[in-house]
Amino acid sequence: MKLPIAIALWIPLVSSENAPETNPQGCINLDEYDADTDFFPEKFVPHETTDLVTVSYHKTYKVVTNVFQEKSYLLYQCGTEPPADEVASGKHHLVLPVPHSGGVAVTQTTQIAPMELLAKRGEISAYIGNPKLVSSPCLTHMMNDETMQTIYIEEEAFGGNLTDKALSDYLEENPDAIVLAGPTGEKDADRHMAIAASQERTAVATFDWLGMYAALFNAEGAANEIIADTEARYECSATNAATIRSSDAEQKEKPKILWAQYFPSQNGWSVASCPTWDETYYCEYAHHCGAELISRPEGMGFSKQYGSPTVYWYVTDEEFLELGKDADTWIYPSKTFEAVYNEKKELLDQFKSVQEKSVYDTQGQGPHAWHEQRLAEYDVVALDMCTLVGTNNPESIHRRRWFRSYFDEPIGGLGTCDAPAELDLAYVPAQAECTVIVATDKVIDDNDSNISDNDNKESDNQSDLVDSKSEETDSDAAAMHGNGVVVLSMLAWISATMLLA
């Protein structure tokens, strides 16, 4: 049994005559409320495709369950008593008062964006890992001015005794802090809460874990709004893609996309495998935009495991040439294409995508942001992909944000943090806007809104500072709040539904 940690400030809210309309943002005085008061009127309900996180509500407490790692966490309203029977059962790994105010240590960059979306950046009291992998300008500012602790021992890139000692010291100095572990992290460690968003099937479900972060801070109301707005924009781009495909009188073949990356340590290529559209996020994006993602046939290549149940497949140069040489577009989900191209130029020059300079990496916002902020804006990534394959709204200019043309565009960046003003503000993604098009009988042949917002950015020549183990094991696994969606035509929705059914 884990004892409760952290007691927040007492903040009287409303009398018992008026039950709270929003989740309390501080401790309550129980004497001011009726016995049957529901302190969580704003509840998070996972999406139908979300498989690995649940939240159940019980008036004075809620139970968050990480299904993937079989861990549950009892979060009770500060000012009330946690249910004695639940605590005594010992089935919950943590028992915490909420809203949590004791600080949070993040162990993966993928955990940063959800905190920033909820305007909880200031609750991050430590980052455990290589600080050079952090892309967030404001978190970088906080590390540089030491308002946030950094725990990283360069000689122990993947952990060790010195790192363990530093973490122990941090927890001793911050007795109410909790540590967010990853899907293969220390789920059983004291004061650790495991996050497994990257193990979900769909982009919508991965983003849905925002609700778990929100539950810690009684911020479900904000999370629900962000989730709904983001999903609406995502559905908008799917509707547009379906409308364009259905209005194509010539019924052209779907654009073919190669999603592949080379791993020198394995002397092999990791190529997308999409037996179903929801196998992983890139399969979903291709389906979403009406494109065909070239898929590695079952059994082709060789496999490896890296200490987890996940099996990673690779193909040889010869197999890769056979698979990908005729792809219209190649998306290389890493920052290493230049080095690989220089090494394997003779091989890669045989690819149609290389010959036509239709190769894109994921450095539109810098070398590492793909594994961080990108997870906070899956709707924008979808708009990027639809733009690449010509199925976005031709009347609405979308400037690519994540996919950078290797041959024609410089490496991007997230800019700087306007501290201190920006530190307490929620992260708001750029280019998060979609307008549903009106379906017509006109064939849309060209889509010339393939414009990058990198045009005026200087190249970022950061060195190859990367956690190689993280990239090899997590990059394919590994999560906004902008302008709304304007629905202009029911006909567009009907055509989209028919095509995607």
Side-chain angles (χ1 to χ4, degrees), residues 141-208:
H141 171 85
M142 292 166 64
M143 289 189 292
N144 289 340
D145 72 1
E146 298 184 352
T147 56
M148 184 183 78
Q149 187 173 345
T150 303
I151 300 175
Y152 179 67
I153 310 299
E154 191 169 355
E155 296 77 15
E156 296 181 346
F158 305 123
N161 293 335
L162 294 177
T163 302
D164 292 343
K165 177 63 167 59
L167 175 57
S168 177
D169 291 344
Y170 162 77
L171 291 174
E172 184 176 347
E173 295 166 3
N174 299 271
D176 296 331
I178 62 172
V179 179
L180 299 183
T184 60
E186 298 290 339
K187 65 175 183 177
D188 297 318
D190 189 28
R191 292 161 59 183
H192 280 55
M193 177 177 283
I195 305 292
S198 64
Q199 305 304 301
E200 293 282 0
R201 293 179 297 117
T202 68
V204 174
T206 299
F207 187 75
D208 226 21

Side-chain angles (χ1 to χ4, degrees), residues 225-237 240 379-380 383 393 396 398 428-437 480-488:
E225 182 178 352
I226 294 169
I227 289 169
D229 287 351
T230 307
E231 186 180 346
R233 292 190 294 270
Y234 188 63
E235 292 177 351
C236 169
S237 59
N240 289 344
D379 58 322
V380 180
L383 286 166
N393 187 342
S396 177
H398 173 73
V428 180
Q431 297 298 316
E433 183 176 358
C434 181
T435 302
V436 175
I437 62 178
M480 188 163 301
H481 190 190
N483 297 324
V485 178
V486 182
V487 180
L488 300 178

Side-chain angles (χ1 to χ4, degrees), residues 32-86:
E32 298 180 2
Y33 294 88
D34 293 331
D36 62 348
T37 298
D38 180 0
F39 289 104
F40 308 114
E42 298 171 307
K43 296 174 172 60
F44 164 67
V45 179
H47 189 267
E48 60 184 10
T49 66
T50 302
D51 301 323
L52 303 178
V53 64
T54 65
V55 184
S56 61
Y57 291 87
H58 309 270
K59 293 186 177 179
T60 62
Y61 71 97
K62 47 194 168 184
V63 176
V64 178
T65 301
N66 176 335
V67 178
F68 179 75
Q69 287 157 296
E70 299 180 334
K71 289 292 181 182
S72 63
Y73 311 95
L74 190 152
L75 312 178
Y76 66 95
Q77 173 57 46
C78 182
T80 70
E81 292 294 325
D85 56 340
E86 289 284 335

Side-chain angles (χ1 to χ4, degrees), residues 239-252 390-392 394 437-445 491 495-496 499:
T239 299
N240 289 344
T243 300
I244 290 173
R245 290 291 301 166
S246 64
S247 66
D248 186 352
E250 298 178 8
Q251 290 298 302
K252 298 176 182 176
T391 56
N392 65 312
I437 62 178
V438 177
T440 67
D441 293 331
K442 180 182 177 181
V443 179
I444 302 175
D445 291 319
L491 183 57
S495 65
L499 185 63

